[in-house]
Amino acid sequence: KNSELKDLLQYGFAIHHAGMTRVDRALVEDLFADKHIQVLVSTATLAWGVNLPAHTVIIKGTQIYNPEKGRWVELGALDVMQMMGRAGRPQYDKEGEGILITNHSELQYYLSLLNHQLPVESQFVKRLPENLNAEIVLGTIQNVKDAVAWLRYTYLNVRMMKNPALYGVSV
């Protein structure tokens, strides 16, 4: 249906993004899987639900717009690993290649990520009020002293002590 896509396909190139019709996306996915497309340029949608292995994955730019925050943010570590994981799948290829193009200020972060040197951070803070309320209802927490003792047993506490700036606290 997309005339621009039709023009690209004859050269072994294609595009893939969420704004395409379902028919065009399915066509591109099938042609790529059957190796009729040598170069596929896509948005992050390939990392978020489409299983298309490739020999080489190039991530050009590591920021995405976050409408909730109203600004550009860095791709999450799991998103980058998911995208890079498309390269060199053992059942399809002997080896793969991942190329990451980012700002110099973010280089150390992504090198650490690719070397598996980033710690797993706690996500508990997002659900802390609900969990704290549940403990109060259960009677586990009856005062502030109990709440502090309860929080000290969480992984959130462990990570906050090691990396307080990330969680917006001072020790």
Side-chain angles (χ1 to χ4, degrees):
K1 291 184 176 186
N2 183 326
S3 62
E4 293 168 339
L5 177 60
K6 187 177 178 181
D7 291 342
L8 288 172
L9 287 174
Q10 64 185 333
Y11 299 105
F13 286 78
I15 55 175
H16 189 284
H17 57 83
M20 296 172 67
T21 66
R22 183 180 303 273
V23 171
D24 284 346
R25 278 199 319 265
L27 173 67
V28 167
E29 291 166 17
D30 291 344
L31 290 172
F32 187 77
D34 293 339
K35 300 190 184 316
H36 296 292
I37 295 172
Q38 287 76 45
V39 176
L40 178 59
V41 178
S42 76
T43 59
T45 55
L46 284 181
W48 297 322
V50 179
N51 185 21
L52 291 178
H55 178 76
T56 303
V57 171
I58 302 171
I59 301 174
K60 182 188 174 289
T62 57
Q63 291 192 334
I64 55 172
Y65 187 75
N66 183 326
E68 293 169 357
K69 294 183 178 180
R71 61 183 171 87
W72 291 89
V73 297
E74 287 298 314
L75 281 169
L78 292 176
D79 291 324
V80 172
M81 296 305 286
Q82 181 78 11
M83 287 184 235
M84 289 293 188
R86 300 278 178 228
R89 295 275 179 88
Q91 63 269 37
Y92 302 104
D93 218 336
K94 290 181 183 167
E95 59 184 33
E97 184 176 31
I99 300 169
L100 182 71
I101 302 169
T102 189
N103 295 324
H104 191 268
S105 61
E106 299 301 325
L107 183 60
Q108 193 57 50
Y109 168 76
Y110 289 106
L111 287 174
S112 297
L113 170 66
L114 296 174
N115 290 322
H116 303 289
Q117 295 175 355
L118 291 179
V120 174
E121 295 298 343
S122 174
Q123 302 299 306
F124 189 54
V125 75
K126 296 173 186 173
R127 298 284 182 231
L128 187 57
E130 294 96 333
N131 284 277
L132 189 56
N133 282 333
E135 295 297 329
I136 291 169
V137 169
L138 289 170
T140 310
I141 295 175
Q142 297 179 356
N143 54 46
V144 174
K145 184 179 175 187
D146 292 344
V148 170
W150 173 78
L151 188 58
R152 283 196 177 124
Y153 282 99
T154 66
Y155 185 63
L156 172 62
N157 181 62
V158 172
R159 292 307 307 153
M160 285 173 75
M161 298 307 271
K162 293 215 185 256
N163 195 358
L166 180 67
Y167 296 93
V169 296
S170 58
V171 211

